[in-house]
Amino acid sequence: MTTSVPAARGPRLADRVAIVTGAGSRADGIGNGRASAILMAREGARVALIDAVPEWAEQTRRMIEAEGGQSMVVPCDVTDPAACEAAVAATVKAWGRLDILVNNVGIGGPAGTAVEVDLAAWNHGLLVNVTSMMLMAKFAIPEMRKQGAGAIVNVASVAGLLGGHPSLLYPTSKGAVVNMTRAMAAHHGNEGIRVNCMAPGMVYTPMVYSRGMTPEMREARRRRSLLQVEGSGWDVGYGVLYLVSDESRWVTGIVLPVDAGATAGSGRVAVPPSNGQPG
């Protein structure tokens, strides 16, 4: 039995329409959402740039336009069901279809353990980091059904896979995104809709450095991985591009860590005793 070689073709996402939430970044910085939107536009997708701060998304639009791509800004509070429905409707009205949803919105949320955390801030953090992704999927999936196909990427974090985070809300919410992804993949696989999860490591993005970070802290973050190379929003964006393209047509329900190997080990390898036997 032989398998056919895929035919040569044009841009990977030609004629497809995408929504990216959290598509803006502070100033000219490259966050995960901005990088994902730019890379998809380079591959031919028309991209709706959703952000609660339209000015940030507008800068992403200008960057895409400068490269000859197509996008539009859709201001939206993704914690508001009516706003999510309206954002999907505006995208479909403009371009006639919806093929891709990248759920990228997220916040660090409140600090503290279960004993210390503020309950109102906890509830708000879950609303932004988890419920917003469900809301966008609620309105996007019916449009994808019309094509009999679609791709959703939920952006979580390696904090949702590992323990040791100083706060409770962030890893809890990101762990919820991981298993929400698996459940969505099971619910919608027979409709041709693939759902996967990105788990970025400690990438250096505007969301990170806008909170203030000393050179020493930045260096310590870099060294907490196997590759010991600092990542950026572009690294996450290329992972998203793979998960929404036809190259991943047989991939659904996975969690893809883009973390320089941080989830595989700390980068410190034990030195065996001189006799070569285990200690």
Side-chain angles (χ1 to χ4, degrees):
M1 179 179 178
T2 60
T3 56
S4 60
V5 177
R9 53 187 172 79
R12 296 156 79 181
L13 302 179
D15 301 322
R16 297 187 198 178
V17 173
I19 287 175
V20 179
T21 70
S25 293
R26 292 164 178 81
D28 293 329
I30 300 296
N32 300 335
R34 176 171 285 170
S36 299
I38 291 172
L39 292 172
M40 287 193 292
R42 285 179 184 173
E43 292 294 336
R46 291 163 287 177
V47 187
L49 308 168
I50 288 183
D51 207 292
V53 184
E55 295 79 10
W56 295 355
E58 175 59 24
Q59 177 61 11
T60 305
R61 189 199 65 78
R62 288 194 292 264
M63 295 167 81
I64 290 172
E65 182 181 53
E67 296 185 356
Q70 295 185 61
S71 65
M72 68 177 183
V73 175
V74 182
C76 178
D77 173 3
V78 292
T79 67
D80 179 354
C84 293
E85 183 176 21
V88 171
T91 303
V92 174
K93 181 178 180 180
W95 292 317
R97 59 188 291 150
L98 179 60
D99 305 278
I100 296 164
L101 169 64
V102 179
N103 273 321
N104 172 67
V105 165
I107 58 174
T113 66
V115 176
E116 302 158 346
V117 69
D118 177 79
L119 181 57
W122 169 273
N123 288 337
H124 178 70
L126 291 177
L127 182 63
V128 174
N129 287 5
V130 183
T131 305
S132 71
M133 297 191 182
M134 177 276 292
L135 289 173
M136 288 302 302
K138 174 184 286 291
F139 300 111
I141 288 170
E143 296 299 329
M144 294 177 178
R145 285 172 174 162
K146 296 175 183 179
Q147 279 80 248
I152 297 173
V153 177
N154 298 322
V155 179
S157 167
V158 295
L161 304 174
L162 302 170
H165 197 280
S167 73
L168 184 63
L169 181 281
Y170 190 74
T172 299
S173 63
K174 294 303 184 178
V177 172
V178 167
N179 275 321
M180 180 172 67
T181 298
R182 293 172 175 144
M184 283 185 178
H187 292 163
H188 303 291
N190 64 356
E191 299 176 299
I193 298 170
R194 300 183 300 104
V195 188
N196 291 294
C197 181
M198 281 289 299
M202 288 178 285
V203 292
Y204 193 64
T205 64
M207 182 176 174
V208 172
Y209 57 70
S210 66
R211 297 196 299 260
M213 179 173 290
T214 66
E216 292 77 17
M217 292 170 61
R218 185 175 178 182
E219 175 66 8
R221 291 173 92 249
R222 181 188 68 81
R223 294 179 64 84
R224 288 175 59 188
S225 68
L226 298 183
L227 296 181
Q228 298 194 7
V229 175
E230 184 175 77
S232 72
W234 294 116
D235 296 298
V236 177
Y238 278 111
V240 169
L241 179 62
Y242 165 69
L243 290 175
V244 302
S245 67
D246 288 344
E247 285 83 354
S248 64
R249 70 178 188 89
W250 214 48
V251 177
T252 195
I254 72 159
V255 181
L256 177 61
V258 176
D259 64 352
T263 49
S266 65
R268 297 185 297 273
V269 179
V271 178
S274 58
N275 62 8
Q277 299 301 314

